[in-house]
Amino acid sequence: MKPRVLIARRAPAAVVERLSAHFDVDCHAGEAPLAPDELRARLAGKAGAYITGTERITAELLDACPGLRAVCTMTVGYNHIDLAACTARGVLVTHTPDVLTETTADFGFALLMATARRMSEGERLLRDGGWKSWAWDFLAGADVYNTTLGILGMGRIGQAIARRGRFGFGMQLVYHNRSRLAADIEAELGARHVAKDELLRQADHLVLVLPYSAESHHCIAAAELALMKPTATLVNIARGGIVDEDALAAALRERRIAAAGLDVFEGEPRVNPALLSLPNVVLTPHIASATLPTRLAMAGLAADNLVAALTGATPPTPLNPEVLSA
Ligand code: DGY
């Protein structure tokens, strides 16, 4: 008998076909994510779960599904999965790093540019018939070329954004990360590791690319925003919970920072109404990795992981490989 797996969100046909060749597949084909109790019911008796960032894998869920052996998420971030609880129960977890790095960095930089150069504000004004004539300060924004790019979280995506800033836009780079980059990478990027407060003070454009955890929850709040330049822009492509959105809305409203570009939100897809009403914030619906080739690569890698995990092979990108050797 084939192992039973759940594909918890609509997936590319090639993925469903590939998984069906190995497993007895239960596919949730609806557009809305399964509610937690539906997810629990559909996962009962399954050996594998193919999920996205909208499915929360908790200790309670794992206890209700003791047959589960692998959770494969089609995301690089994994804050929706209780990794420690999975490891404690011998459940292998995999994610999809690398295949989305350059696409996500492209988007991070595009959001920085759109924010600094007031693109959304300009388009809204034009569509609303508000473009009357030229004026010297009409929609004047902030320079990007030869300014200081700050990066909080210098993993793969942070480094890819740094390369764009350094080699494409002649930017000076400052960053803060738990661990410092190797000296040769720092030298290649011309990147200086600084304390978080210093990063906030120095950056003309600050991009958040750090993982979300209890430690990084609201790590950009009123006190941090108060350290930033009044001309600075803030871009978040990591997770919404990293930023205290009420504090950010107040800083934007009072022009204590110039502008923000946000692709992620605490409680998404709900967006804090205080942000929706502000002109100096560019809002996008969590699409930093959303190009067709990249999403297909992510979906394919998650499928490779699930097949390997349940057929005794080594999955390409495990998060808790210790489960494999246990
Ligand atoms: C990721 O891969 O973590 C993205 O945020 C999901 O779209």
Side-chain angles (χ1 to χ4, degrees), residues 74-77 100 239 286 289 295 298:
M74 187 196 140
T75 57
V76 67
L100 79 181
R239 288 291 181 265
H286 200 151
S289 66
R295 285 287 167 85
M298 293 163 72

Side-chain angles (χ1 to χ4, degrees), residues 255-325:
R255 305 280 167 165
R256 284 186 273 113
I257 67 167
L262 306 173
D263 185 50
V264 286
F265 305 89
E266 194 166 15
E268 62 187 48
R270 192 195 70 89
V271 177
N272 188 324
L275 292 170
L276 286 171
S277 64
L278 291 168
N280 50 344
V281 54
V282 179
L283 304 167
T284 53
H286 200 151
I287 51 171
S289 66
T291 67
L292 208 48
T294 291
R295 285 287 167 85
L296 288 171
M298 293 163 72
L301 178 54
D304 292 345
N305 275 313
L306 187 54
V307 171
L310 296 182
T311 58
T314 305
T317 48
L319 279 164
N320 54 354
E322 60 271 34
V323 165
L324 293 168
S325 46

Side-chain angles (χ1 to χ4, degrees), residues 73-78 93-102 104 156-157 294 297-299 301-302 305 316-319:
T73 183
M74 187 196 140
T75 57
V76 67
Y78 52 91
V93 182
T94 68
H95 68 151
T96 57
D98 303 320
V99 290
L100 79 181
T101 299
E102 301 300 337
T104 304
R156 289 169 279 237
I157 297 171
T294 291
M298 293 163 72
L301 178 54
N305 275 313
T317 48
L319 279 164

